[in-house]
Each structure stands twice: as structure tokens, then as C-alpha cells.
Amino acid sequence: MRTVITGGAGFIGSHLCDYLIEKGHEVICIDSLLTGKAENIGHLIGNNHFRFIKHNVSDYIYIDGHVDNVLHFASPASPSDYLELPIQTLKVGSLGTLNSLGLAKLKRAKFLLASTSEVYGDPQIHPQREDYWGHVNPVGPRGVYDEAKRFAEAMTMAYHRYHKIDTRIVRIFNTYGPRMRINDGRALPNFMYQALRAKDITVFGNGLQTRSFCYVSDLIRGIYQLLISDEHEPVNIGNPEEISVLQLAKEIVALTGSKSKIVFKTLPVDDPKVRQPDISKTKKILGWEPHVSREDGLRNTWIYFQDVLQKTDDASVNKST
Ligand code: UDP
């Protein structure tokens, strides 16, 4: 199996590279390194089942030889990233998806789109099932990501229906774990950073908005199961255990024994009030459900972030001496 992963140096993409290499695939990772990081794939350099191409997939993608799978994971994915990179986010969701689908068509490869729970916007149906069409503000600041992914889904289904490409769409809910950028602006890394540095923990709004956090190894296993399934319609993958953002902040303070205090800041525009995947379809067609508890997942992530900050501190000490 020869598999192209766009966004392969990102948080989720790099875990997919590892997983597929373990499954015997030859992986070609394409990443512009705009939000992805070379460190995430550093351990794979020199592996003869791995190749890295630094390229922005919003521009034409050229790959020689045959390709069996194209997995399109390239995109800024944290709200603060896509607010800072609105045009790049729209381009990679539209032109990047078009180029990735074009590659799959040329090579007669299977195509898998990384979509998102953001296609449901600020949902009025709770929990979210795949047949819910969503509640998205197209002209709000989050619209650049939500609409790009909605367009990407439409484009994927068009290539499936018109060009008969063998496609998959995964709607990924909040995911966390090692290789998240500690400064990517999302709640979980922010809270861990703030706890580690004894800074105030910034809960936005009253903190009663909810999310459901899935550990990255569970997500990757689900994506693989979807890839080898026959399902062409979108499938939710996420952990249905729903908690409030305030509860998450409290759990992180308790886990880390931090002296940080929780403070409340303004809620960002169009911030979804609730989010929880309905995974009954996923369970039924993939036999998938998450295994990693939040307690274990948070602990592993905490160990990772401690290590990252330690290395940053060591590097700044070395620089100044
Ligand atoms: N959030 C927060 N404090 C932060 C960062 C985020 O309270 O420092 C909130 C954010 O407003 C949202 C939730 O946490 O309600 C999850 O935000 P995140 O950026 O992780 O991703 P989202 O689920 O909104 O895509």
C-alpha cells in the first residue's frame, strides 16, 4: 500500500503516518509546515517506508508512481490558527481538497477527507448525528473553517458520485494528545500550559459550554477502520463523554496539582454552546468506540507537555550561556 497523507506533519497527520507505517504502508507525507511541525515526523526520517515532501497542497500536487490511498488532513485546525490564517484555511479546504481529489482520480486511489464536527456549527440538535445538516454562520470568523470543510465534503461526494472515486469522510470531534502544539490556542493545551507555568487558567464565557474530548490513539484507530470499510457517507469519530469547559479546567488543575486560579474571559464570536458526537452509526458500521479514559489521556498529554516545556527551557538556557 502506498499512501499519501496531506498535513502529515500535523498533530493528527503525524500519528496517522506512524500508524500506517506500522500497518506496512509506504507513507508519503506532504506538509507545508505552516501549522505542522518537522519535529512530529523527525523520528521517521531515514525510514525507507517514509518520504516527506514540503509542499502546500493548495498548489498542484505531483507524485510519481502509483498511489493506493490519499488521506487529506492538511488544514489549520485550531480556532486561533484559522482566525489568523483565514485565506490559507479557505484555500486548503477548497483548492487543497480539489488537488487531493485530483491526485486520487489520476491514480485511481481511495480518498479519505478529514472533516470536522465544525460542519455542525453551533448545533441545535444535540448530540450531533451525521444526518444533521448543521447551523453555521457563513460570514462569522469561524466560517472560514466551517464552510471550507462543508465545501470539502460536497466536493468529495461530487467526485464520488461523478468520477466514481472510492471516498470516505470522517467528521472529527475534539481530539487531544501528544504532538498538539502547546501554543495552538485550544482549550486543552492552553489550560495545561497555564497550569504548568502557574498562570491564570483562562476559561472563556461562563465555561458552561460543552465539548467531548477523544484521545488521539482512539481517533486514529477509528480512521483506519473507516478507511478499510465500505462507507462513503460521513461518519462521526469522537468520544461521546461530554463535559463543560469549566469542568475540564478543574480536572486539569486537580491532575497537575497546579496553583493556578481559574479566571473568566470573553467568549469568542459564534463559539458553539454544546458539542457531543452521536456515535451510534460509527459503532454499528465500524464496530468502533473509544477506549482511553479522560483520566489516562489527560495524564499522557500532561507528561508530553511537561517534556516539551522542559526542552524549551533547556534550549533557552543553552542559548543564553
Ligand atoms: N476555551 C477556553 N479557554 C481557552 C481556550 C478555549 O475557555 O483558553 C474555550 C472555547 O471558547 C471553547 C472551548 O474552550 O468554548 C473549546 O475551544 P477549543 O479552542 O479547544 O476548540 P473548539 O472546540 O472551539 O473548536
Side-chain angles (χ1 to χ4, degrees):
M1 281 279 161
R2 202 156 180 255
T3 299
V4 170
I5 306 181
T6 79
F11 160 48
I12 294 175
S14 65
H15 283 285
L16 258 183
C17 291
D18 287 344
Y19 193 87
L20 292 183
I21 286 173
E22 204 136 286
K23 290 274 177 201
H25 290 222
E26 182 189 336
V27 169
I28 301 167
C29 161
I30 311 180
D31 204 299
S32 67
L33 301 183
L34 185 62
T35 57
K37 281 173 72 178
E39 289 88 329
N40 290 343
I41 48 164
H43 60 289
L44 293 173
I45 303 296
N47 181 324
N48 54 17
H49 287 117
F50 181 77
R51 191 172 137 207
F52 173 62
I53 301 172
K54 185 171 181 297
H55 175 70
N56 184 340
V57 295
S58 299
D59 297 325
Y60 186 86
I61 309 167
Y62 177 78
I63 303 287
D64 54 2
H66 82 279
V67 172
D68 300 291
N69 307 293
V70 177
L71 313 187
H72 181 38
F73 279 73
S75 178
S78 133
S80 57
D81 282 344
Y82 54 72
L83 297 186
E84 229 171 82
L85 304 165
I87 313 289
Q88 290 93 329
T89 303
L90 282 159
K91 282 175 83 174
V92 77
S94 54
L95 303 176
T97 304
L98 177 64
N99 291 331
S100 305
L101 277 162
L103 176 68
K105 175 169 166 267
L106 177 73
K107 306 286 184 181
R108 301 314 295 174
K110 198 184 266 189
F111 176 86
L112 185 144
L113 172 71
S115 186
T116 168
S117 54
E118 286 281 329
V119 300
Y120 302 120
D122 186 9
Q124 292 170 316
I125 301 279
H126 192 64
Q128 293 75 54
R129 289 164 44 107
E130 289 87 348
D131 54 9
Y132 174 47
W133 292 351
H135 180 232
V136 170
N137 174 4
V139 295
R142 294 177 88 102
V144 297
Y145 184 63
D146 303 9
E147 296 294 7
K149 289 292 187 181
R150 288 166 70 93
F151 174 88
E153 289 198 5
M155 178 77 97
T156 301
M157 289 312 290
Y159 266 65
H160 172 64
R161 295 194 182 109
Y162 187 74
H163 289 308
K164 310 287 177 239
I165 304 298
D166 188 10
T167 58
R168 310 281 181 279
I169 297 175
V170 54
R171 290 188 179 149
I172 300 172
F173 283 66
N174 291 68
T175 303
Y176 70 102
R179 299 190 196 154
M180 280 188 108
R181 278 169 26 237
I182 196 156
N183 59 352
D184 89 354
R186 284 189 264 210
L188 201 145
N190 259 8
F191 294 169
M192 289 217 169
Y193 173 79
Q194 291 159 343
L196 266 166
R197 289 289 194 238
K199 291 176 183 292
D200 288 348
I201 305 237
T202 55
V203 167
F204 297 161
N206 59 12
L208 298 182
Q209 69 275 31
T210 67
R211 296 293 186 271
S212 309
F213 295 93
C214 184
Y215 191 65
V216 65
S217 60
D218 279 331
L219 172 81
I220 298 292
R221 185 170 45 82
I223 291 171
Y224 183 72
Q225 282 174 237
L226 176 62
L227 182 69
I228 60 173
S229 79
D230 291 325
E231 182 62 29
H232 302 298
E233 298 287 325
V235 175
N236 288 339
I237 300 190
N239 189 320
E241 226 175 84
E242 181 187 21
I243 57 164
S244 71
V245 169
L246 183 57
Q247 176 66 20
L248 176 73
K250 287 181 179 163
E251 284 184 13
I252 290 175
V253 171
L255 168 83
T256 59
S258 170
K259 293 190 174 45
S260 296
K261 64 176 197 306
I262 294 176
V263 298
F264 294 88
K265 301 268 177 192
T266 316
L267 189 68
V269 176
D270 295 337
D271 198 280
K273 285 179 266 314
V274 287
R275 184 180 292 152
Q276 180 189 31
D278 180 324
I279 59 165
S280 30
K281 173 177 172 184
T282 323
K283 272 189 189 161
K284 192 165 152 231
I285 63 164
L286 303 182
W288 178 90
E289 56 185 327
H291 296 327
V292 181
S293 68
R294 201 164 56 244
E295 199 186 341
D296 288 348
L298 287 179
R299 197 175 312 108
N300 290 348
T301 311
W302 172 245
I303 292 168
Y304 171 79
F305 282 143
Q306 274 178 307
D307 194 46
V308 166
L309 280 190
Q310 186 60 51
K311 283 187 185 133
T312 316
D313 290 349
D314 290 351
S316 62
V317 168
N318 288 340
K319 221 169 154 191
S320 61
T321 51

